[in-house]
């Protein structure tokens, strides 16, 4: 599977970043548990510590000792930064000190120990490359399977703490930017359609989060009786259609009233950020979304490749604390300080951007 091109039913190759104008990132995650230990939520502290020790030794034997962190030694600010990078889950931030985390040097592979399951093995890549994310996660999963005995049933598959993960125990997900559908008023009906097909739609920070900046996370649900390849091919088919819908929406915006609605949205974002002295995270993501749409539609110049995606992380609270060198800005009463730092960062970045003359003849893709 790793050596073949992963093709959709209509023959389109989806491996790589062909849809990077819509898909921000791709992730594949495996849930695994170690025999004969109870799942973390039911296990004693000593049992969780024993599992953590076994996993750390297994990673060391696989040559992955560097990048390991005993979770109890990781300060809250660093935990938050890792969550803002999507290296760990929101739930992991609050995990007890008997947990542990491995993150590769490039941040593309992570292993969470004693979150909901003993192991959450994740591959994360930029752009639209589910196959690439699968390859990273699968390589780590296979390596650990050679060192540890995973809880497995011949009739059910891999056993997990959450019933929806029983089976192949794999979740694939993509982060998509649907600003065109949002601006054309079609995003809500589109999301409802995706949910009716049995997929989960969440905000940028995962479960229970809002879709700030018109960024959505879409993932498969149950895996019982479904193989890994079938899960990912189904998700790819859905994402391919979603990419087409978003591009059609952008084309509609271009043709409707000669593109003035989209152009106004982008121009307002550039204007507001250029003057603002305080800015919340939600506001920052909204303006970054508008400019990203403008770049995709050929309206904005001066944006460096990958800059807007990186800015979505850098304007988050824990990264702002690192930028200021002052962890106290994370305190609730320091919100205005954070908002001021965020506004200054975005003013400097947006000062290079220019709204150029809109070429009405170009396609919306």
């Amino acid at each position: 599977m790793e050596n073949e091109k992963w093709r959709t039913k209509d023959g389109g190759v989806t491996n790589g970043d062909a849809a990077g104008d819509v898909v921000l990132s791709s992730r594949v995650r495996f849930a695994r548990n170690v025999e004969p230990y109870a799942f973390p939520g039911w296990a004693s502290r000593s049992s969780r510590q024993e599992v953590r020790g076994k996993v750390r030794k297994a990673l060391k034997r696989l040559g992955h000792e560097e990048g390991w962190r005993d979770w109890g030694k990781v300060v809250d600010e660093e935990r938050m930064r890792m969550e803002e990078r999507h290296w760990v889950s929101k739930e992991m931030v609050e995990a007890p000190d008997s947990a542990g985390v491995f993150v590769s040097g490039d941040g593309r592979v992570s292993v969470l120990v004693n979150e909901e399951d003993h192991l959450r093995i994740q591959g994360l890549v930029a752009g639209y490359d589910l196959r690439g994310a699968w390859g990273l996660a699968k390589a780590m999963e296979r390596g650990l399977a050679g060192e540890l005995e995973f809880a497995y049933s011949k009739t059910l598959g891999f056993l997990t703490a959450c019933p929806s993960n029983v089976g192949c125990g794999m979740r694939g997900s993509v982060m998509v930017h649907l600003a065109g559908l949002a601006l054309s008023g079609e995003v809500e009906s589109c999301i409802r359609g995706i949910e009716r097909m049995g997929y989960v739609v969440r905000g940028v920070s995962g479960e229970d989060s809002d879709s700030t900046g018109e960024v959505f996370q879409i993932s498969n649900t149950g895996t019982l009786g479904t193989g890994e390849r079938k899960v990912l091919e189904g998700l790819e088919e859905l994402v391919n259609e979603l990419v087409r819908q978003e591009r059609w929406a952008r084309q509609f915006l271009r043709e409707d009233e000669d593109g003035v609605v989209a152009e106004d949205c982008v121009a307002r974002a550039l204007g507001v950020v250029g003057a603002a002295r305080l800015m919340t995270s939600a506001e920052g993501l909204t303006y970054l979304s508008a400019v990203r749409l403008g770049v995709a539609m050929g309206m904005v110049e001066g944006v460096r490749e990958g800059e807007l995606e990186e800015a979505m992380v850098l304007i988050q609270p824990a990264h702002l604390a690192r930028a200021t060198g002052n962890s106290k800005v994370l305190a609730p009463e320091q919100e205005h300080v954070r908002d001021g730092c965020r506004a200054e960062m975005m003013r400097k970045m947006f000062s290079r951007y220019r709204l150029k003359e809109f070429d009405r003849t170009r396609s919306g893709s």
Side-chain angles (χ1 to χ4, degrees), residues 15 125 129-137:
N15 181 40
V125 299
D129 192 1
L130 280 165
R131 175 177 173 254
W134 177 88
L136 291 169

Side-chain angles (χ1 to χ4, degrees), residues 221-237:
T221 51
T223 62
L224 183 62
T226 307
E228 296 172 16
R229 179 162 187 159
K230 186 175 181 181
V231 169
L232 286 183
E233 286 182 338
L235 181 57
E236 283 186 336
E237 187 174 355

